[in-house]
Amino acid sequence: MAELESLEFGKSDFILLDEVTMEQFMENLKLRFEKGRIYTFIGEVVVSVNPYRQMDIYGTDTIDAYRGRELYENPPHLYSVSDAAYKAMKRRAKDTCIVISGESGAGKTEASKYIMQYIAAITNPSMREEVERVKNVLLKSNCVLEAFGNAKTNRNDNSSRFGKYMDVNFNFNGDPTGGHINNYLLEKSRVIQQQPGERNFHSFYQLLRGDSEEVLRSLHLQNDPALYTYTREGAAATTSNNDCLSHKAVRHALQVIGFTEKEISSIYETLATILLLGNLQFESEAESVFVSTPEFLVHISALTHTDPGSLRTSLLCRTVATGGGDVIQKEHSEQEASFGRDAFAKALYERLFAWIVGRINSIIEVKNYNPVLHGKNTVIGVLDIYGFEIFENNSFEQFCINYCNEKLQHLFIELILQQEQEEYEREGIVWEHIDYCDNQIIVDLVEQQHRGIISILDEACLNVGQVTDTICLQSMDNKLSQHPHYMSRQLNPSDKSLEFQKHFRIQHYAGEVTYSIEGFLDKNKDPLFQDFKRLMFNSSNAVLQQMWPDGQMSITEVTKRPQTAATLFKNSIIALVDKLACKEPYYVRCIKPNELKSSVIFDDARCRHQVAYLGLLENVMVRRAGFAYRQPYERFLQRYKMTCEYTWPNHLMSNDREAVKAIVSQHGFDQDVEYGRTKLFVRSPRSLFSLEQERNQLIPILVLFLQKVWRGALARMRCRRMRAIYSIMRCYKRYKVKAHFWEVERRFANVRSMSDYGRSLEWPQPPAALSRFHKITVILYKRWWARQVVKNIPPSDMQEVRSKVAAFSALSKERKDWGIPRAWERDYLSNTRDSPQTCSGYIQFYKELKNKNEFNQVLFSAFCRKVNRFNKSSDRALLLTDKYIYKLEPKRHFKILKRVPLDMLTGVSVTSGADQMVVLHSFSQDDFLLCLQGGLLSPNQDRVGELVGSLVHHFTRVRKVPFPVNVCSSSVQLHMRGKPKTVTVETRPSINMADFKKTKDGFILVCPAN
């Protein structure tokens, strides 16, 4: 808790002071500054004193310590108010803003950087790439805007010379999704002139001192700022900024943000153009004016990508349209040419800055946002705007800056002091009224219609004729003579601190400021000859064209008179205040401890003055006497009803106010609250903090309970849905099964009467559940169909059918042609048509052999070409019976050359081609190698399948043992007399009969080509 910080560091919250007096306030502020405690609370307002040194209180550990904590859990810090604004935005989906105020040099810019750094650090825990990109752009944009919008002044080495308001957009998760930057009143007069000891904008010195010689040469520059009129004043000024390192950081930041190399080059070309414009000199001769430094003119033309002649004409002449529509050129005097040059330089820098801001906005803007899809888009705004300024010579810029601070001070008064007291009265809360200084009268002095200073300036600018600054001052004296906060020498001749016809004084909330009227009208008119606008629009550089869109208008086009600089600024500040007023504000009030930028000096009088005009003492009084928190009963009840048994989940009391009373009574802080007509008011944040703690402890329990109930409901719904799905599936499956059976029955009802027994019928596609049943049914049908076909086959043909089936199973996938279409004769040696010359002798031999060896039937017989034991081939006859294999000599009355029992066979090998080679393998490793020959019945008849089918059928059906069949695609392996041999097949068109040829490792069966 913040109040537990040791008292040696003073009171961490000014509300805790024993007495609310200026003396005690200053004593506590000084003690904390001297002890290194630069932050102090006033309720939710953070008072920050510039330490003028680096402090180790902004690291990752510090960020973790403040992340998600309530405001009073940790010592005062910028991170406290940053986290409070972020939590308010995330918890209540409410837009918030952080307003950083204070005079120049009080540390506002650094505060805004630390706030953005904290918001970036605590968001996007899931490390989403797009969110990281947005965060990087938001952080890097600070670096770029500082370079082009900040400058060294006598009060501050890094003074913001423009106002900046940045909106950061967040999605419903609290992650940044984009942003938008508004800039206000860039002090462009600094481009051409600075006060002694001050510098131009950082960007010029960073370019000259930080870029390489090669780049500077391409830009026609040298690395010495003293060589250029616009940077000469600040060339020798000492500063804590390192221009060289800053330049590298800015270039890197531009690349990270998304600027293209061409755009970056255009930016630095524009800076170089401005520097060279300052060195342009004019001289007059007779009545004509000419450029006395033409070399700079050529360089400027090249850098702006414009025609040198057009550039010279724009600098020396002014194009004017007459009432009759004619266009004439009016030559400048030497003074007018110099004025036009300076106005052109200021406009170039102002438009460059505005283009950079617009380019950053185009990159980080929220794209394709849909509230329905993406949820509510909330915003945190951070305002870092120039502080109150009092210089030795205060001009138009200081007038606008101090007016802006008056508006912001009035907003602070309205939100913190005035509205708070009005709300107490509206809600009927007993309240002791506190007087405070309302600066509305000063705001009206500046912006009031027709009578305010801005209206008087605009009226003077609109008048035709020679209206000078002095005449304008006289008009102000006449109209504002009775105003208590306005003074001039004419109204008070005895005040010699004011000069006649030059000075006027305004009593601001921060003190008296004397302004010099010189240059007010010119700066308010902000004149720039149209020739320069058309020149830049006609540049071949697309970036410059984008900066000068108004240059496309013709000189003869009549346009509405543009609003003055003061009116534009007033309108933008009013819009800014309206934007801030609709958000929940958080304040950082910055104080400058001394004018010497010392880390040890605390100028009591200087700080007392700032505390007074910032209204900090009145703020303490209102906070101390008032209430730190207020909330409508309905919203308070909605957030904290779970902490009380009488209000959870819904109360039964007469109204929400009674329910809120029950919550407050249960927690025992009745003395710390007041009950308004529609709201509950809580004095101490600690009471609210205790409620938040209890709520945070209960939320996980409630979430688990709700999850349990919801998951149970989801499970029951899912169970009912699944049961319904399974019921539908079961019914549908039954229907599909029945429908399949009905369809099968319909298609196959008459298969018995069909000629092919339904073989040509197509089976219906079965459902997935019947796929296995369908396969079995098809197999059963095929068996039935086969039975019906087999029943019609004569018994005498059954042996042939069975042999063909056996051959089919052994050869159908391996050998293309194996004789299935023809009738199988088996015993070809006894066939009179196939072997008419030898059949009679064979039949006689066969009868004798059958009686002698007692075999029952012939399995196969045919002529063949066989290789004998001497590796020579000869014509032989082969006879296979159910008991023996016979090798016969047909030329010698079928003499038996060899007889082998059929049981000795272990298998058969054939080739996959059309040749008739067969190898009969035996246990004795003395295999039969032969090539079957066709007879007269059909010389080219394939009989290999018949031989294989007969053997396989006999072994598998009669002997009940398997008989291996090996179909070889290239070569056949065998053994002859125990030695391994290899037989290959070769086709030759030059031979008529197949025959075996001896090779080194076996034989070649040479076959005719046909």
Side-chain angles (χ1 to χ4, degrees):
M1 301 287 285
E3 68 270 19
L4 297 181
E5 194 177 32
S6 175
L7 289 177
E8 69 171 300
F9 303 115
K11 301 288 180 64
S12 60
D13 193 329
F14 286 112
I15 293 175
L16 303 176
L17 292 174
D18 297 329
E19 294 181 17
V20 183
T21 63
M22 179 61 78
E23 287 70 23
Q24 285 213 4
F25 190 101
M26 294 304 300
E27 182 181 337
N28 189 63
L29 186 68
K30 182 177 182 180
L31 175 62
R32 292 184 63 77
F33 173 76
E34 291 172 346
K35 294 291 185 179
R37 298 300 190 268
I38 62 172
Y39 299 119
T40 314
F41 282 134
I42 303 178
E44 293 181 346
V45 176
V46 173
V47 178
S48 169
V49 182
N50 191 342
Y52 286 117
R53 59 189 171 95
Q54 292 295 324
M55 302 189 70
D56 188 21
I57 57 172
Y58 305 103
T60 306
D61 293 341
T62 309
I63 290 173
D64 293 336
Y66 283 84
R67 186 199 306 263
R69 298 292 186 178
E70 295 301 324
L71 199 65
Y72 286 95
E73 282 190 85
N74 285 309
H77 200 289
L78 287 173
Y79 293 167
S80 302
V81 72
S82 305
D83 197 77
Y86 180 74
K87 285 204 298 285
M89 178 275 299
K90 191 173 181 181
R91 286 177 180 174
R92 304 198 295 273
K94 185 173 179 64
D95 292 344
T96 61
C97 64
I98 301 174
V99 180
I100 308 169
S101 58
E103 68 176 52
S104 179
K108 300 183 299 302
T109 299
E110 290 300 310
S112 70
K113 287 196 289 188
Y114 287 129
I115 289 170
M116 290 302 300
Q117 171 187 310
Y118 180 80
I119 293 173
I122 65 172
T123 53
N124 195 29
S126 57
M127 297 303 293
R128 286 173 46 213
E129 183 178 346
E130 176 58 22
V131 176
E132 282 299 303
R133 184 191 70 83
V134 171
K135 283 166 50 174
N136 286 337
V137 172
L138 289 172
L139 292 176
K140 293 297 183 183
S141 65
N142 274 329
C143 174
V144 174
L145 295 179
E146 273 191 27
F148 289 88
N150 289 22
K152 179 195 182 312
T153 66
N154 290 322
R155 292 187 168 194
N156 185 359
D157 283 358
N158 190 32
S159 178
S160 296
R161 308 319 299 163
F162 73 108
K164 179 182 70 176
Y165 174 73
M166 178 184 288
D167 267 335
V168 184
N169 298 83
F170 295 84
N171 60 16
F172 69 97
N173 284 331
D175 291 331
T177 57
H180 187 84
I181 300 171
N182 293 93
N183 65 295
Y184 302 94
L185 190 67
L186 178 73
E187 189 191 19
K188 60 183 179 180
S189 63
R190 181 170 292 273
V191 173
I192 63 170
Q193 186 178 8
Q194 307 90 42
Q195 294 194 32
E198 296 190 349
R199 298 205 317 175
N200 207 323
F201 291 99
H202 294 326
S203 55
F204 292 109
Y205 302 95
Q206 290 172 3
L207 171 63
L208 294 173
R209 289 173 173 162
D211 230 324
S212 65
E213 291 286 346
E214 181 182 355
V215 172
L216 291 176
R217 199 177 305 114
S218 68
L219 297 174
H220 310 290
L221 298 175
Q222 299 180 50
N223 60 3
D224 184 4
L227 297 176
Y228 302 98
T229 304
Y230 291 159
T231 56
R232 189 171 296 141
E233 178 63 44
T238 58
T239 176
S240 58
N241 299 318
N242 187 316
D243 293 320
C244 185
L245 294 179
S246 297
H247 181 68
K248 293 178 181 177
V250 170
R251 267 195 175 272
H252 177 68
L254 289 169
Q255 293 168 350
V256 171
I257 291 171
F259 284 79
T260 64
E261 284 300 323
K262 185 175 181 181
E263 289 172 335
I264 295 173
S265 298
S266 298
I267 289 172
Y268 289 109
E269 284 177 354
T270 305
L271 292 180
T273 298
I274 294 170
L275 290 172
L276 296 178
L277 270 173
N279 283 12
L280 270 184
Q281 299 298 320
F282 302 98
E283 291 183 8
S284 56
E285 187 175 292
E287 294 186 0
S288 62
V289 178
F290 63 93
V291 178
S292 61
T293 51
E295 67 278 7
F296 292 126
L297 198 66
V298 176
H299 297 333
I300 293 171
S301 173
L303 291 169
T304 57
H305 302 269
T306 55
D307 177 61
S310 300
L311 175 62
R312 179 183 286 102
T313 303
S314 299
L315 287 166
L316 299 179
C317 303
R318 178 184 177 188
T319 306
V320 181
T322 64
D326 296 329
V327 177
I328 60 173
Q329 277 192 342
K330 179 184 177 183
E331 290 191 5
H332 290 319
S333 65
E334 186 177 338
Q335 182 180 1
E336 289 173 338
S338 298
F339 175 82
R341 174 202 61 200
D342 291 343
F344 183 34
K346 291 189 294 183
L348 271 173
Y349 196 81
E350 181 186 36
R351 302 228 179 180
L352 171 65
F353 187 76
W355 178 83
I356 290 174
V357 173
R359 185 74 179 87
I360 294 173
N361 284 336
S362 69
I363 293 170
I364 62 174
E365 67 180 354
V366 180
K367 300 178 179 66
N368 303 321
Y369 174 73
N370 187 336
V372 177
L373 296 177
H374 305 123
K376 180 174 171 55
N377 185 354
T378 47
V379 169
I380 293 180
V382 179
L383 177 65
D384 169 24
I385 205 159
Y386 16 59
F388 195 85
E389 293 186 348
I390 306 176
F391 295 149
E392 289 184 8
N393 181 28
N394 300 291
S395 187
F396 180 77
E397 290 81 10
Q398 282 68 47
F399 171 77
C400 292
I401 288 171
N402 293 340
Y403 159 66
C404 170
N405 280 272
E406 291 283 359
K407 288 289 288 185
L408 293 177
Q409 176 68 8
H410 185 255
L411 176 67
F412 176 78
I413 291 170
E414 278 192 331
L415 296 179
I416 300 299
L417 306 177
Q418 180 179 330
Q419 287 184 8
E420 186 149 348
Q421 299 196 67
E422 288 175 356
E423 185 175 34
Y424 295 153
E425 294 175 5
R426 190 167 55 248
E427 290 288 328
I429 302 297
V430 178
W431 170 260
E432 181 182 344
H433 185 78
I434 295 175
D435 292 327
Y436 55 87
C437 178
D438 189 350
N439 69 333
Q440 180 65 53
I441 187 173
I442 307 173
V443 173
D444 292 341
L445 169 65
V446 177
E447 70 176 20
Q448 188 178 20
Q449 290 289 339
H450 307 300
R451 294 189 57 83
I453 293 176
I454 291 178
S455 294
I456 297 171
L457 287 172
D458 288 352
E459 183 180 342
C461 292
L462 294 174
N463 285 339
V464 180
Q466 289 293 327
V467 179
T468 63
D469 293 324
T470 303
I471 296 174
C472 179
L473 178 59
Q474 292 173 0
S475 178
M476 289 166 54
D477 291 341
N478 293 335
K479 293 182 179 181
L480 302 174
S481 59
Q482 302 302 316
H483 200 286
H485 289 267
Y486 175 84
M487 182 58 61
S488 71
R489 184 67 181 273
Q490 182 177 344
L491 300 179
N492 186 9
S494 62
D495 188 350
K496 296 184 179 180
S497 62
L498 300 174
E499 289 187 28
F500 278 110
Q501 300 182 348
K502 181 178 180 181
H503 291 155
F504 68 94
R505 179 180 295 150
I506 297 177
Q507 178 65 49
H508 287 285
Y509 76 95
E512 293 182 345
V513 181
T514 301
Y515 297 99
S516 171
I517 195 68
E518 292 178 353
F520 259 61
L521 290 184
D522 283 340
K523 292 177 180 177
N524 191 37
K525 291 176 185 176
D526 195 18
L528 180 67
F529 300 136
Q530 288 289 334
D531 302 74
F532 291 121
K533 298 178 182 179
R534 287 192 295 274
L535 176 72
M536 290 295 98
F537 181 76
N538 291 321
S539 166
S540 59
N541 187 330
V543 175
L544 283 176
Q545 290 180 359
Q546 293 171 23
M547 295 181 196
W548 301 81
D550 47 349
Q552 61 184 321
M553 295 170 55
S554 170
I555 186 63
T556 57
E557 291 185 58
V558 178
T559 59
K560 185 179 178 181
R561 183 186 293 270
Q563 291 182 318
T564 61
T567 299
L568 287 172
F569 183 68
K570 180 188 75 172
N571 294 340
S572 65
I573 294 301
I574 291 173
L576 171 64
V577 170
D578 291 342
K579 188 180 292 187
L580 295 175
C582 68
K583 294 178 172 61
E584 183 172 316
Y586 293 82
Y587 284 93
V588 178
R589 311 291 264 173
C590 297
I591 292 178
K592 185 176 182 179
N594 58 76
E595 293 290 346
L596 304 176
K597 305 175 189 175
S598 170
S599 61
V600 295
I601 298 175
F602 186 88
D603 188 334
D604 193 80
R606 188 81 185 80
C607 295
R608 184 186 296 263
H609 177 67
Q610 294 174 74
V611 169
Y613 76 67
L614 288 173
L616 298 184
L617 203 62
E618 291 85 350
N619 190 4
V620 174
M621 292 177 181
V622 171
R623 283 291 180 181
R624 188 179 173 107
F627 301 88
Y629 177 82
R630 74 287 317 271
Q631 192 71 275
Y633 293 123
E634 180 184 0
R635 291 191 63 179
F636 183 90
L637 184 63
Q638 180 183 1
R639 185 165 184 82
Y640 300 111
K641 63 181 179 179
M642 72 285 296
T643 65
C644 178
E645 58 184 324
Y646 303 110
T647 56
W648 177 259
N650 294 300
H651 69 86
L652 300 176
M653 301 175 193
S654 58
N655 53 51
D656 289 346
R657 177 173 176 166
E658 295 302 317
V660 170
K661 281 186 176 181
I663 296 174
V664 171
S665 299
Q666 178 166 320
H667 289 85
F669 49 85
D670 303 74
Q671 303 303 317
D672 200 37
V673 301
E674 288 287 345
Y675 299 95
R677 295 187 177 93
T678 62
K679 292 181 180 180
L680 174 71
F681 291 80
V682 183
R683 281 193 177 85
S684 170
R686 292 150 200 77
S687 300
L688 192 68
F689 178 53
S690 64
L691 270 178
E692 279 290 334
Q693 276 189 318
E694 185 169 346
R695 180 180 182 275
N696 290 339
Q697 292 171 359
L698 290 171
I699 285 294
I701 300 172
L702 295 176
V703 168
L704 287 175
F705 174 75
L706 293 174
Q707 286 179 340
K708 180 182 73 173
V709 173
W710 179 240
R711 285 171 180 163
L714 286 178
R716 286 187 288 274
M717 286 191 293
R718 194 179 299 114
C719 183
R720 287 194 294 270
R721 192 182 301 114
M722 293 302 295
R723 285 175 178 171
I725 290 171
Y726 283 131
S727 296
I728 294 170
M729 288 172 61
R730 281 195 298 272
C731 293
Y732 184 70
K733 282 181 180 179
R734 284 198 294 269
Y735 162 74
K736 293 291 287 184
V737 168
K738 290 179 181 179
H740 180 69
F741 288 156
W742 293 332
E743 182 64 17
V744 171
E745 183 182 8
R746 185 186 67 79
R747 293 190 185 188
F748 290 85
N750 301 317
V751 290
R752 292 180 182 276
S753 60
M754 292 181 181
S755 58
D756 62 350
Y757 300 105
R759 183 72 172 175
S760 60
L761 292 177
E762 183 179 354
W763 285 81
Q765 184 69 26
L770 289 179
S771 58
R772 186 164 176 267
F773 176 81
H774 174 71
K775 293 177 182 177
I776 297 172
T777 304
V778 171
I779 292 172
L780 290 174
Y781 166 74
K782 288 180 178 179
R783 289 181 178 178
W784 175 85
W785 177 84
R787 179 63 181 163
Q788 299 305 310
V789 172
V790 168
K791 279 168 55 179
N792 296 327
I793 298 175
S796 59
D797 293 340
M798 284 305 297
Q799 177 76 15
E800 179 184 344
V801 171
R802 290 193 179 103
S803 296
K804 286 185 175 181
V805 170
F808 177 80
S809 63
L811 301 175
S812 64
K813 295 181 181 179
E814 305 289 344
R815 189 175 173 99
K816 184 177 180 181
D817 183 17
W818 44 275
I820 190 171
R822 64 178 179 81
W824 287 1
E825 300 291 339
R826 292 190 301 163
D827 192 2
Y828 288 97
L829 294 178
S830 65
N831 192 310
T832 57
R833 292 178 300 163
D834 193 66
S835 306
Q837 296 178 356
T838 58
C839 66
S840 58
Y842 168 76
I843 292 173
Q844 182 180 355
F845 163 77
Y846 165 73
K847 289 178 180 179
E848 294 175 358
L849 186 63
K850 183 177 183 181
N851 293 332
K852 182 179 178 181
N853 291 335
E854 297 180 349
F855 58 82
N856 294 323
Q857 64 175 339
V858 174
L859 300 180
F860 182 80
S861 69
F863 291 105
C864 64
R865 188 77 173 170
K866 187 182 179 304
V867 176
N868 60 19
R869 60 183 176 177
F870 303 109
N871 297 329
K872 294 183 179 180
S873 60
S874 56
D875 291 329
R876 295 287 184 264
L878 175 68
L879 173 61
L880 291 177
T881 67
D882 56 352
K883 289 186 177 181
Y884 298 100
I885 304 172
Y886 298 94
K887 181 173 72 172
L888 308 176
E889 171 58 80
K891 295 180 181 179
R892 297 171 63 182
H893 306 290
F894 294 98
K895 178 184 176 180
I896 298 174
L897 299 179
K898 187 175 184 179
R899 183 184 74 173
V900 178
L902 195 62
D903 293 340
M904 292 295 290
L905 291 185
T906 60
V908 62
S909 293
V910 299
T911 67
S912 58
D915 60 272
Q916 300 298 298
M917 183 176 69
V918 177
V919 176
L920 299 175
H921 301 285
S922 67
F923 282 113
S924 63
Q925 289 197 339
D926 191 10
D927 301 337
F928 290 84
L929 174 59
L930 52 91
C931 178
L932 298 178
Q933 296 176 342
L936 296 177
L937 189 63
S938 180
N940 296 321
Q941 202 173 57
D942 190 305
R943 295 178 179 177
V944 171
E946 189 172 351
L947 171 60
V948 171
S950 299
L951 285 171
V952 172
H953 170 259
H954 178 75
F955 274 86
T956 57
R957 189 173 181 85
V958 177
R959 298 182 178 237
K960 308 297 183 184
V961 294
F963 189 74
V965 177
N966 182 26
V967 181
C968 305
S969 59
S970 57
S971 61
V972 179
Q973 306 296 324
L974 71 156
H975 290 79
M976 298 186 72
R977 293 185 175 275
K979 296 181 179 180
K981 304 286 184 180
T982 300
V983 184
T984 57
V985 180
E986 186 178 311
T987 301
R988 294 180 185 175
S990 59
I991 63 170
N992 297 322
M993 294 286 291
D995 198 2
F996 292 97
K997 301 293 183 180
K998 180 76 172 66
T999 63
K1000 182 178 180 180
D1001 54 353
F1003 303 92
I1004 296 177
L1005 175 63
V1006 182
C1007 301
N1010 58 353

